[in-house]
Amino acid sequence: MPDVATDLALTEVAAGVFELRLPIPFEDGLVNVFFFTDGREADLLDCGMNSEESLEAIRRALDHLGAPRLRRLVVTHIHPDHYGAAGALAGDGLADLYMHRLEVPLVHPRYVELEHLVEQVRTYLLVNGVPEEEADVLSNSQRALSQVVKPADAAVQLDGAEHIAMGQHVLRVEWTPGHSPGHVCLHEARSGLLFAGDHVLPELSPNIGLHPQSTPDPLHDYLQGLKRMAALEPALVLPAHGRPFSEVGLRVDALVSHHARRLDQILELVGDEEKSGWQVALDLWGPRENLYEKRLALQEGLAHLQALAVDGRVAKTVTPDAVRWRLT
Ligand SMILES: [Zn+2]
C-alpha cells in the first residue's frame, strides 16, 4: 500500500478498497467515500460536498493511490454529502457518473432551478399544518444546500441489479429506496462486502421522510430494503457515516424495532379527532428550536402516518387546503 499522509483519513478497508473520510461543511459529522483501485485508474463511490477542502482531500488521495485518473463515480443518492462534488469530478473528459434513475429527476429542481420546489415545499408544509411564518423560513432553507452541490449529468442511469466493475471488484447494485427514492447499496457476494450508503448506519437511524421528493410510502420501502440487505448476510458493512461493522442482522433488527415502536407511539397520538402532521410531530417530539430538526420531524412523522394509512390503521383525508389524520 502506498504511503498515506497522516493528515489524510485514508484507510484500506478491504483488498484494493480505500475509505476516505471527508468533512461535511456546516455539520460536525464526516462522510465516508470509497476508492477502488486498478492500476493507474480508480473508481469512487460517493464524493462528499463541493468544498475546496473536500476536493483537495480527494485529489491527494488519488495521488497517494497512484491513480491520476478517476474512471467511474457511483453515487448512492443525491444528498449533498454524497453527490455534492459530482460536477467537479464527473462529466465531459472526467469520470463517468452512475446513479439510480429515480435520483436523476430530483437534481434539477433541488439544486439548479429551485423556485418551483421552494413553492412546492411551502404548500406541502402549509397543508400539513405548519404556521405560515415557519413555512416560509423552512421552504427557503433549501437554498443554502444548493451552494455545496455542483451537479453533473449521469452517464449511466441504474435500475438496480446491474453489476459494475469497481477497481478489481465487481459489485451488484441493490436498489434500496426510502431515505431517498433512488438510493442504492453496492454488494459483492464473493467478498461479502456491502457498501450501505445511508441505508444501514451503525449508530444513526437515517431520516425516512414523506415530502414532495420522496416515494409515496417511504417507510415501507425502507423496511423492505433493510430486510433484503440483511438476507444478503454480508461479512462487512461499509456505511457512509460511522465505522464499518459486521452483524448486519442485529443492526437491522434494531432499526426495524425502532420504527415499530415509533408507529405504535404515533398511533397513540392520533385520536378520533382529525390532526395535522405538524400537530402529531409536535406531540411526539415536543417543540424544537432548530428549524432543520423541525422539518425533519415533520417529514419523519408523515412517513410513519402514511405507512399506518397504507396499512389501514389510520384514516387520511385530503383537500386542497389540508391533509388530516385520525384513527379508523
Ligand atoms: Zn442522505
Side-chain angles (χ1 to χ4, degrees), residues 65-303:
L65 296 170
R69 201 182 100 85
L70 198 59
R71 181 176 54 167
R72 298 194 173 119
L73 168 64
V74 180
V75 295
T76 56
H77 61 303
I78 56 114
H79 290 170
D81 46 335
H82 303 263
Y83 170 79
L89 299 168
D92 268 349
L94 301 169
D96 287 331
L97 175 64
Y98 291 56
M99 60 200 275
H100 193 275
R101 63 185 172 83
L102 292 187
E103 296 295 279
V104 173
L106 308 183
V107 170
H108 199 76
R110 198 172 176 125
Y111 302 126
V112 185
E113 194 78 57
L114 281 77
E115 293 320 309
H116 180 72
L117 184 63
V118 167
E119 196 46 46
Q120 215 184 354
V121 168
R122 187 172 176 276
T123 305
Y124 149 87
L125 293 169
L126 291 174
V127 299
N128 283 298
V130 178
E132 200 164 328
E133 242 172 75
E134 301 195 60
D136 286 337
V137 181
L138 282 171
S139 54
N140 275 306
S141 65
Q142 187 65 37
R143 294 178 203 276
L145 284 180
S146 66
Q147 287 159 16
V148 284
V149 176
K150 187 175 182 191
D153 288 334
V156 175
Q157 296 192 27
L158 303 164
D159 299 316
E162 295 87 351
H163 286 88
I164 306 178
M166 298 284 277
Q168 305 142 39
H169 293 261
V170 179
L171 298 150
R172 193 180 117 111
V173 177
E174 299 291 341
W175 176 42
T176 46
H179 177 65
S180 193
H183 185 288
V184 296
C185 298
L186 296 183
H187 176 246
E188 188 177 48
R190 185 175 55 88
S191 62
L193 297 175
L194 177 68
F195 295 86
D198 280 357
H199 187 65
V200 199
L201 299 172
E203 281 152 33
L204 303 169
S205 175
N207 182 257
I208 308 300
L210 180 72
H211 55 82
Q213 284 202 327
S214 71
T215 50
D217 185 7
L219 185 60
H220 278 129
D221 292 340
Y222 176 68
L223 294 172
Q224 280 169 14
L226 278 184
K227 287 170 190 165
R228 274 195 294 119
M229 293 308 98
L232 296 175
E233 299 184 354
L236 186 65
V237 181
L238 298 132
H241 307 282
R243 304 318 306 132
F245 61 100
S246 46
E247 304 282 356
V248 72
L250 291 178
R251 186 61 193 137
V252 164
D253 286 349
L255 289 165
V256 170
S257 31
H258 161 78
H259 286 293
R261 273 198 307 279
R262 183 128 295 164
L263 286 168
D264 289 343
Q265 277 177 309
I266 288 183
L267 201 54
E268 262 175 46
L269 291 172
V270 182
D272 296 324
E273 257 174 61
E274 292 195 324
K275 278 189 176 183
S276 69
W278 185 243
Q279 283 173 294
V280 172
L282 283 178
D283 290 349
L284 185 62
W285 283 284
R288 296 270 169 142
E289 290 298 307
N290 182 306
L291 277 176
Y292 184 62
E293 282 178 21
K294 276 190 196 181
R295 183 169 156 185
L296 288 184
L298 173 68
Q299 294 177 176
E300 183 100 18
L302 287 171

